[in-house]
Each structure stands twice: as structure tokens, then as C-alpha cells.
């Protein structure tokens, strides 16, 4: 053991003080699963001497798991004390739900390091711990210095993930903690066996939840002519009217709609657009087991304007932009406005990667199109830029798109405005601008030249369009006639993400997963572990969301440079790292 410990410490000294991009791909003296976690930890801005478990507010998500596991563990508390071990139960995001530590020395050690209920032991908070068992979906024994943080190097941790009995998602984990000198291989088999017993108990309780869901459905299904759905994250019960209306992907999106409604205590009717363009009015009624909300009953109605002999107004009548897909309300509102605009100058506003240039190309139609990028002014100089802009304002049948027009300031903005005013009659000009820059009161008067403003919605605001976007990107990456499908479970997971890179990030994910074009269905197991973790991450409170968005925007503006981002926010870089960990932001999966 002593030789092994020295070897691991030597490896730590060799790589963990390096910049993340300088770390080698592999390190033979360290297990690959451990070293991969070390690298991810460094990419998230963590250092071995500067991590502390952050406090995560109790969202109530883990209560059901804790109530299920606690009686089982209490029966084994005496054995834990005799073995000089502690046991911790965590939820699927690494937040400690409960801890049993009858050994006083271990309890004091854990308390001093804030390993206690409500503390996050996720990789994004403290680096490599047994919690990586959730990401890797396999039990693991992390011994002493294999932990990323030096403060955990005196102990070993055997962790087994707990999987949901129906959908097999990782809902939590059990960790057996002991001093490194007491480490034994039997720890992993013991905690794995205990996790298996927990899963069996969850399976039995799932039957009760399904029965409660069925009872709620029966109580509300008084008129079979009206669509009715009772569902939770694993089970869908619907009548014939709903079955005719909904597809499996629709059901996954319905649950996300219901989940948000339950979280907001929303029982009034809301609207939702399905992937095929159907607009629905949905009334959400939570289903409870005591104080715990376990699902929802949804009453579904179609607005009278859509009902006809065939039951629905054809989605083909909806306005559309050539070559672009989407049926959600926000996207359809953009299409309707775009199809009605006058032929004058148009500025297209949206977040990075939201598809502003694609909208501009669609507006240009089949005619000639030229594109210039205002980002070039810093490279070629103001005079050369103005000359290029003038040269592109040529024939009257051509459409010119000026990208990133918000980057033109001062004299370059004035010169560009003068050039645009001198454009030939009938010469159409479009411009794209970042949403944050457009909203700033400091933007130049150049934007005042544009008669119409079109706002492209962010991907997180058009989750109804995910199936259509995935299909379009898959065809683009794999070619026509491909046999690749996206499971409803994957679409449900992707709909939970914030997508700071918007369509660009979604397209990159599709290209990564469909390379080769083999016939298959993409399931949650195919998603990269860091993305799956982001998709299942806790819901942030409204103030936290605003803070997270401000941090991500600052990082995007700084091209990923954390020092510049911290300066723009008026905080220290160490504070930025702490906030990133506290909010659970995964910077390794972001593109700037």
C-alpha cells in the first residue's frame, strides 16, 4: 500500500498543478476512470487545495429516496460502528441527503470537511470522489490520494449508484467511507449489495405510485371524448382521445410541461405546441402521495380555431421560413412576423448560436446573397472595412447580410451608416446582432437605420421544436435515408438543458452522436456523461438563474477567459470559481 500511495502522490504532483490543456491524455500510473475525472475537475476550474463542498438548498427531490433508504440503514448502524465506517446517501446530483457515522473520529473528520447533509459532493464541486459512480454508472472504490482534493486523501470511499427500477436513470448513490488504512476490497461488494436492496425496495414502492396514478386517472376520466393523460417521469396513462392526439415524443414533452407546472404550483390552463404544430391548452392537476407530489393529471383541449372536420387545422398553413424547421409558439411568432415585414432594412437579434444567420438566409430567399462580418474591422482596419462594405453594396438584386453589426463603434459605425444610406435603390440589407448588445443603451446609432427588428428565440424557449431540430440535424449529419432515431427519454433530457450555445451546441451534439450513420436509436446511455449530468441537474431558483446567466454571458463575452469574465462582473476570479461550483455550471461542456 505504501508504494502505491507514493506512486499516486508522484502522479498528482506531475499533473494536477498543470493547466488543464497541458495535462496528458493518459497517465499509466493512475486508473483511467480516476484520471479522466481529474482532468474534468481541472477543466472546471478546481484545484486540489481549493475545494470545499458547497451547500445546495433542499429542493425536496431526494426526500422520497431518503425515506426509502433510512429504515434499511438504521438496521445496519451497529455494523457500521464496529467496522469504523460511515455511510452517506446522495441524490442523483451528488447532494448528500443523509449520513450515518457512529464512529466519532470519522464523524468529526467529515464534519470538519463539510461532508454532511445538503453538501454537494459532485465532481463539479469537489472534484474526484466516489460520486463519479453516478456519472460512470458503475460502482467504484476511490482510495486515499485518488481523490482530487487533498483534504480527502486520508480516507477511502466505496460508492455504488442507485438506479430507478423502471427507467434505469441514476437517482442516487450509497458511499461507504473509511480510513485509508482500513480500506478493504469487500467494501465495494457490501455497498453494491446494499444498493441492490434499495433498488428492490424502490421497485415495490413504484407499484404503489403507479396505483395512485391510475386512481387519479380513473377519478378524472369521466368523459372519454376529451383527451386526458395521467403521467409521471416513467408512466403514461391516457384515454383513446389522447392516444389519437399524442405520439411518444409528445408524451415526453408533456411530462416536462407538467413537471414545470408542478414546480410552480400551476393548476391553471397553459398552452403548449407539439412537434407537429398542434397547439394545445393543458390544465395540470398534481397527483400526491401524502405530502409528496408523484405525478400529474393533464386535461387537454384544442382551441376551437384548430378544430374542424379533421379535428385539427393543418400545420401546413402556418407561416414558415424556407429551409428552417419549428412549430413552437415562439418560433411561429417569428415566422409570422418575418413573412409580413416590408422589404426595408431588417436587424435580426438573438443569442449566440440561435440561428440569426440562418434566418437572414431564409429571408433572402433564392436570390443572390452576400455576407460580411463586422468582426473583421479589428483585423483589417476601419478604412479597409468600409471599402469592403461599399464594394458589397452592388447590384439591386442582391441581398447583403452584415453580421455582428454591434461590433461597429465610433467612426467605423458612422462610416458604415453612411455607406448603407448610399446603397442602390432596391438593395436589401439585413444585419445580425447579439441580444445583449442590442438591449444595451450604449449601442451605436447605426442600429437606428433598420426599420424592423426580428428576435430569434433561444433554444431553451422553443423546446417543443427539439424533435424537429434533431431530425433536421441528423439528416444533415447522416444523410438522407438514415435510420437513426432519438428516443423520447433523450428528448426529455435535452429539453431540461439551458443550451447556452443554442442551435450550435445542439448541432455539435448531433454530429458527435450520429457519426457513422448506423441504424440505431439514440438513448440516454449514448449521451456524454457531463451532458447527462447537466440535463439532470437541480432546478435553480430564479435569482440563481439570473446569476448563472450573467456568469455564462460574461464567459461568452470573454471567449471563455475566466479572469476577464471575473473582471467584467466585478468579482475576484476565486469568487467566480466558487459561484460556478455552487450553481453547478459545467464549463467543460460549454463552447465559447
Amino acid at each position: 500500500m505504501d508504494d502505491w500511495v507514493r506512486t499516486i502522490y508522484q502522479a498528482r504532483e506531475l499533473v494536477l498543478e498543470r493547466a488543464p490543456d497541458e495535462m496528458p491524455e493518459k497517465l499509466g500510473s493512475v486508473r483511467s476512470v480516476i484520471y479522466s475525472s481529474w482532468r474534468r475537475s481541472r477543466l472546471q476550474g478546481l484545484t486540489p487545495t481549493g475545494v470545499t463542498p458547497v451547500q445546495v438548498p433542499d429542493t425536496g427531490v431526494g426526500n422520497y429516496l431518503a425515506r426509502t433508504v433510512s429504515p434499511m440503514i438504521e438496521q445496519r448502524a451497529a455494523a457500521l460502528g464496529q467496522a469504523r465506517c460511515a455511510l452517506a446517501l446522495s441524490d442523483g446530483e451528488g447532494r448528500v441527503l443523509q449520513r450515518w457515522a457512529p464512529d466519532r473520529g470519522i464523524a468529526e473528520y467529515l464534519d470538519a470537511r463539510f461532508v454532511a447533509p445538503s453538501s454537494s459532493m459532485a465532481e463539479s464541486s469537489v472534484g474526484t470522489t466516489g460520486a463519479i459512480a453516478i456519472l460512470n454508472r458503475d460502482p467504484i472504490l476511490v482510495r486515499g490520494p485518488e481523490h482530487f482534493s487533498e483534504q480527502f486523501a486520508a480516507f477511502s470511499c466505496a460508492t455504488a449508484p442507485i438506479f430507478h427500477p423502471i427507467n434505469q436513470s441514476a437517482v442516487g448513490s450509497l458511499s461507504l467511507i473509511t480510513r485509508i488504512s482500513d480500506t478493504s476490497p469487500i467494501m465495494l461488494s457490501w455497498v453494491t449489495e446494499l444498493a441492490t436492496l434499495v433498488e428492490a425496495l424502490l421497485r415495490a414502492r413504484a407499484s404503489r405510485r403507479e396505483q395512485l396514478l391510475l386512481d387519479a386517472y380513473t377519478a378524472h376520466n369521466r368523459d372519454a371524448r376529451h383527451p386526458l393523460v395521467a403521467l409521471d417521469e416513467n408512466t403514461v396513462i391516457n384515454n383513446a382521445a389522447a392516444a389519437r392526439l399524442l405520439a411518444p415524443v409528445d408524451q415526453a414533452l408533456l411530462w416536462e410541461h407538467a413537471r414545470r407546472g408542478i414546480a410552480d404550483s400551476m393548476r391553471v390552463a397553459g398552452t403548449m405546441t407539439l412537434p407537429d404544430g398542434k397547439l394545445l391548452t393543458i390544465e395540470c392537476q398534481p397527483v400526491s402521495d401524502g405530502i409528496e407530489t408523484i405525478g400529474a393529471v393533464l386535461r387537454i383541449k384544442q382551441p376551437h380555431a384548430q378544430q374542424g372536420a379533421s379535428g385539427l387545422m393543418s400545420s401546413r398553413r402556418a407561416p414558415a421560413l424556407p429551409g428552417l424547421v419549428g412549430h413552437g409558439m415562439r418560433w411561429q411568432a417569428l415566422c409570422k412576423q418575418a413573412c409580413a415585414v416590408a422589404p426595408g432594412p431588417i436587424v435580426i437579434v438573438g443569442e449566440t448560436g440561435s440561428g440569426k444567420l440562418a434566418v437572414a438566409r431564409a429571408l433572402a430567399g433564392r436570390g443572390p446573397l452576400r455576407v460580411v462580418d463586422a468582426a473583421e474591422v479589428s483585423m483589417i482596419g476601419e478604412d479597409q472595412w468600409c471599402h469592403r462594405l461599399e464594394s458589397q453594396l452592388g447590384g439591386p438584386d442582391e441581398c447583403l447580410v452584415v453580421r455582428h453589426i454591434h461590433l461597429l463603434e465610433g467612426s467605423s459605425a458612422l462610416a458604415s451608416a453612411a455607406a448603407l444610406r448610399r446603397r442602390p435603390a432596391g438593395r436589401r440589407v439585413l444585419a445580425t446582432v447579439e441580444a445583449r448588445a442590442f438591449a444595451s443603451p450604449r449601442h451605436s446609432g447605426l442600429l437606428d437605420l433598420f426599420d424592423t427588428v426580428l428576435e430569434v428565440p433561444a433554444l431553451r424557449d422553443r423546446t417543443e421544436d427539439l424533435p424537429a431540430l434533431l431530425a433536421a440535424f441528423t439528416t444533415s449529419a447522416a444523410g438522407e435515408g438514415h435510420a437513426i432515431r432519438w428516443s423520447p427519454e433523450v428528448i426529455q433530457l435535452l429539453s431540461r438543458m439551458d443550451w447556452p450555445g443554442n442551435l450550435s451546441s445542439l448541432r455539435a451534439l448531433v454530429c458527435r452522436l450520429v457519426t457513422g450513420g448506423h441504424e440505431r436509436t439514440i438513448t440516454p446511455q449514448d449521451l456524454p456523461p457531463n451532458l447527462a449530468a447537466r440535463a439532470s441537474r437541480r432546478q435553480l431558483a430564479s435569482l440563481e438563474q439570473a446569476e448563472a446567466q450573467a456568469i455564462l454571458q460574461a464567459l461568452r463575452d470573454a471567449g471563455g477567459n475566466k479572469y476577464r469574465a471575473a473582471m467584467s462582473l466585478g468579482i475576484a476570479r476565486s469568487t467566480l470559481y466558487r459561484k460556478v461550483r455552487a450553481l453547478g455550471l459545467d464549463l467543460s461542456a460549454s463552447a465559447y
Side-chain angles (χ1 to χ4, degrees):
M1 174 68 80
D2 291 342
D3 290 341
W4 176 84
V5 169
R6 281 195 294 271
T7 299
I8 299 300
Y9 270 116
Q10 290 171 358
R12 292 172 61 90
E13 293 176 0
L14 178 66
V15 299
L16 289 187
E17 294 302 322
R18 296 186 182 184
D21 56 356
E22 296 176 355
M23 295 176 68
E25 289 293 327
K26 297 180 181 179
L27 194 62
S29 57
V30 182
R31 288 186 291 165
S32 60
V33 64
I34 297 296
Y35 186 65
S36 295
S37 178
W38 284 5
R39 293 191 71 213
R40 291 195 301 267
S41 301
R42 291 292 289 119
L43 284 168
Q44 294 179 97
L46 303 180
T47 59
T49 58
V51 300
T52 302
V54 298
Q55 292 294 303
V56 180
D58 185 358
T59 61
V61 174
N63 290 341
Y64 176 74
L65 182 62
R67 288 197 300 270
T68 302
V69 174
S70 293
M72 183 182 296
I73 303 304
E74 294 298 340
Q75 298 173 4
R76 293 164 172 78
L80 289 173
Q82 293 174 1
R84 296 191 300 179
C85 294
L87 189 68
L89 171 69
S90 301
D91 64 16
E93 299 164 11
R95 182 174 69 95
V96 179
L97 300 175
Q98 284 187 264
R99 192 193 75 185
W100 297 266
D103 183 288
R104 179 175 296 180
I106 293 180
E108 291 176 351
Y109 176 91
L110 297 177
D111 287 339
R113 288 152 183 81
F114 305 102
V115 183
S118 296
S119 294
S120 174
M121 298 300 295
E123 186 183 82
S124 58
S125 298
V126 295
T128 309
T129 65
I132 63 174
I134 296 176
L135 284 177
N136 297 318
R137 298 180 63 85
D138 280 315
I140 189 170
L141 173 60
V142 179
R143 297 168 293 177
E146 288 183 323
H147 288 93
F148 179 81
S149 173
E150 292 183 358
Q151 64 176 334
F152 301 135
F155 276 67
S156 292
C157 177
T159 301
I162 300 171
F163 298 106
H164 194 282
I166 297 176
N167 65 11
Q168 291 301 301
S169 63
V171 296
S173 64
L174 281 167
S175 298
L176 189 62
I177 306 164
T178 189
R179 297 173 179 86
I180 188 173
S181 58
D182 295 328
T183 303
S184 169
I186 201 172
M187 293 171 56
L188 193 57
S189 60
W190 187 87
V191 76
T192 301
E193 180 181 352
L194 188 57
T196 301
L197 294 175
V198 171
E199 290 171 1
L201 190 54
L202 288 174
R203 187 176 300 108
R205 292 200 172 189
S207 299
R208 168 178 168 79
R209 292 162 67 95
E210 291 174 351
Q211 185 61 52
L212 290 172
L213 204 61
L214 178 60
D215 292 344
Y217 166 80
T218 303
H220 287 83
N221 190 33
R222 298 186 181 93
D223 188 344
R225 296 173 300 174
H226 300 297
L228 184 77
V229 178
L231 77 174
D232 61 12
E233 67 270 28
N234 309 297
T235 306
V236 178
I237 307 171
N238 51 247
N239 59 12
R244 289 192 294 268
L245 188 64
L246 304 171
V249 168
D250 302 334
Q251 294 169 354
L253 295 176
L254 270 177
W255 170 244
E256 286 305 303
H257 177 91
R259 186 176 61 83
R260 289 190 291 268
I262 292 169
D264 296 336
S265 300
M266 181 185 70
R267 301 194 181 193
V268 298
T271 58
M272 176 180 174
T273 305
L274 298 183
D276 63 358
K278 300 170 186 172
L279 177 64
L280 305 178
T281 299
I282 301 174
E283 182 181 340
C284 177
Q285 178 73 39
V287 177
S288 302
D289 182 5
I291 62 173
E292 181 185 11
T293 300
I294 62 169
V297 173
L298 306 180
R299 296 179 181 273
I300 303 174
K301 299 179 181 179
Q302 302 166 220
H304 294 298
Q306 295 190 89
Q307 297 178 357
S310 62
L312 286 173
M313 180 179 65
S314 171
S315 61
R316 288 192 297 269
R317 299 179 187 174
L321 291 173
L324 303 182
V325 299
H327 300 284
M329 293 184 64
R330 293 287 300 274
W331 181 254
Q332 283 299 307
L334 167 67
C335 292
K336 183 178 180 180
Q337 183 186 5
C339 292
V341 295
I346 299 174
V347 62
I348 303 169
V349 182
E351 295 182 4
T352 300
S354 58
K356 299 184 293 295
L357 181 58
V359 170
R361 292 184 186 278
L363 288 172
R366 297 180 179 273
L369 176 70
R370 296 191 181 188
V371 180
V372 293
D373 195 334
E376 296 176 352
V377 71
S378 61
M379 296 181 288
I380 64 177
E382 180 181 315
D383 292 341
Q384 184 65 27
W385 158 258
C386 292
H387 176 74
R388 178 173 297 183
L389 181 62
E390 291 268 13
S391 67
Q392 297 298 321
L393 289 167
D397 296 330
E398 293 183 341
C399 180
L400 175 66
V401 178
V402 184
R403 301 187 68 192
H404 306 113
I405 199 170
H406 57 283
L407 297 179
L408 298 173
E409 298 179 342
S411 57
S412 62
L414 293 175
S416 298
L420 292 176
R421 290 191 184 97
R422 293 193 299 269
R423 70 184 184 278
R427 185 71 157 91
R428 194 175 194 188
V429 177
L430 308 175
T432 68
V433 61
E434 295 295 329
R436 187 177 183 183
F438 185 77
S440 171
R442 297 180 54 210
H443 74 67
S444 69
L446 178 59
L447 295 176
D448 297 333
L449 291 177
F450 295 86
D451 303 326
T452 303
V453 177
L454 295 180
E455 185 173 355
V456 180
L459 180 55
R460 63 178 174 274
D461 294 327
R462 47 181 302 207
T463 53
E464 305 99 316
D465 294 336
L466 266 174
L469 291 167
L470 287 169
F473 291 158
T474 302
T475 298
S476 176
E480 294 287 348
H482 66 85
I484 298 174
R485 302 290 181 265
W486 297 77
S487 72
E489 293 80 11
V490 166
I491 294 174
Q492 185 176 2
L493 282 172
L494 298 182
S495 69
R496 296 178 184 174
M497 296 181 59
D498 285 336
W499 295 106
N502 289 290
L503 298 183
S504 297
S505 297
L506 182 63
R507 184 189 293 273
L509 173 68
V510 171
C511 292
R512 175 177 178 179
L513 294 181
V514 306
T515 300
H518 302 298
E519 180 176 350
R520 65 190 181 99
T521 296
I522 295 176
T523 66
Q525 286 69 36
D526 295 313
L527 297 178
N530 55 359
L531 188 143
R534 288 169 60 202
S536 62
R537 188 152 287 147
R538 67 186 176 92
Q539 297 295 304
L540 301 179
S542 57
L543 288 177
E544 291 179 309
Q545 289 178 351
E547 188 174 32
Q549 291 175 8
I551 289 173
L552 289 172
Q553 185 62 54
L555 285 165
R556 285 196 290 271
D557 293 344
N561 186 298
K562 298 179 182 64
Y563 177 77
R564 293 208 312 260
M567 291 290 290
S568 69
L569 292 169
I571 59 177
R573 185 165 54 176
S574 58
T575 303
L576 175 66
Y577 286 144
R578 188 171 65 251
K579 288 183 177 294
V580 166
R581 295 196 297 272
L583 293 169
L585 303 179
D586 186 357
L587 304 187
S588 65
S590 299
Y592 301 101

